[in-house]
Amino acid sequence: LLGLLALIPATLLQTLAFKLPVFARSAQDSLLLLLVYTLVINGFIEETAKALCLFIIPLNKTNYTNFLCLALVAGLSFGCFETVIYLLNGNKGLVLRLFTSEIIHSACSVCCAVTVYSLKTKTDKNISWWLRAFLLHGCYNFFYTIGSGFKICAFVCLAASVFYAYKAFLPKDK
């Protein structure tokens, strides 16, 4: 249910962000506005909400790999709940999104978990993994929203997020 817990503040923040003057007109009016929109609404807000919820997981009985697995499941849960919201809103063209949404959310959640784990254990204060999640998720939505031939770029973002999630699980060289 950690995914649902992250979805609630994310949805509230997204609703508030929709009221900002920069998003008052349709984000489809320009590619630059659409890019800013997807980076803020999908990338920053959703990945930050997931990362903050990962801070709830206690580390006293959780090792690094298990923490990443919990983050993966939380991301999967977030993606599933988000897909239900899309279905309830009657969004069109959901067949492809039904599969890719869960993948992007799970992989990006793992990337967020690397940053959260390192901050919680005070081993590193590097937020580059969270930045990857935020940028890959935002760019994925940008290219997916443009559609047409640009969906290939969305799949590149999807593949990159899976690659980084896989890389997170690899043993660290010391």
Side-chain angles (χ1 to χ4, degrees):
L1 291 177
L2 200 57
L4 179 60
L5 182 63
L7 187 64
I8 294 167
T11 303
L12 292 173
L13 286 172
Q14 287 171 332
T15 303
L16 292 173
F18 288 140
K19 297 181 187 312
L20 292 174
V22 71
F23 300 129
R25 60 190 180 117
S26 174
Q28 302 284 347
D29 288 349
S30 77
L31 286 179
L32 180 60
L33 186 59
L34 180 61
L35 178 61
V36 170
Y37 174 87
T38 57
L39 286 173
V40 171
I41 300 296
N42 302 112
F44 180 79
I45 291 176
E46 291 183 12
E47 296 311 321
T48 301
K50 286 190 283 185
L52 290 174
C53 284
L54 292 174
F55 276 100
I56 296 170
I57 300 172
L59 293 184
N60 56 350
K61 294 183 181 177
T62 307
N63 65 26
Y64 176 76
T65 303
N66 289 344
F67 189 77
L68 295 186
C69 288
L70 290 170
L72 184 102
V73 172
L76 180 62
S77 171
F78 187 102
C80 289
F81 284 120
E82 184 182 73
T83 300
V84 169
I85 291 171
Y86 286 144
L87 288 169
L88 293 175
N89 287 338
N91 293 26
K92 302 281 189 257
L94 285 177
V95 175
L96 186 59
R97 201 156 186 73
L98 288 172
F99 299 103
T100 60
S101 177
E102 285 73 13
I103 296 169
I104 194 78
H105 282 289
S106 298
C108 288
S109 188
V110 169
C111 292
C112 288
V114 174
T115 295
V116 171
Y117 191 86
S118 68
L119 290 173
K120 286 183 79 161
T121 58
K122 297 175 177 54
T123 55
D124 192 6
K125 297 200 188 282
N126 186 349
I127 63 165
S128 66
W129 283 87
W130 172 81
L131 285 172
R132 285 180 191 140
F134 147 52
L135 292 172
L136 285 169
H137 188 169
C139 290
Y140 161 80
N141 273 78
F142 173 71
F143 291 121
Y144 191 91
T145 303
I146 292 174
S148 188
F150 286 99
K151 283 194 178 173
I152 295 295
C153 298
F155 283 107
V156 169
C157 293
L158 193 67
S161 69
V162 169
F163 168 77
Y164 283 116
Y166 169 76
K167 189 174 174 182
F169 278 99
L170 295 177
K172 306 290 182 253
D173 294 331
K174 294 187 180 186

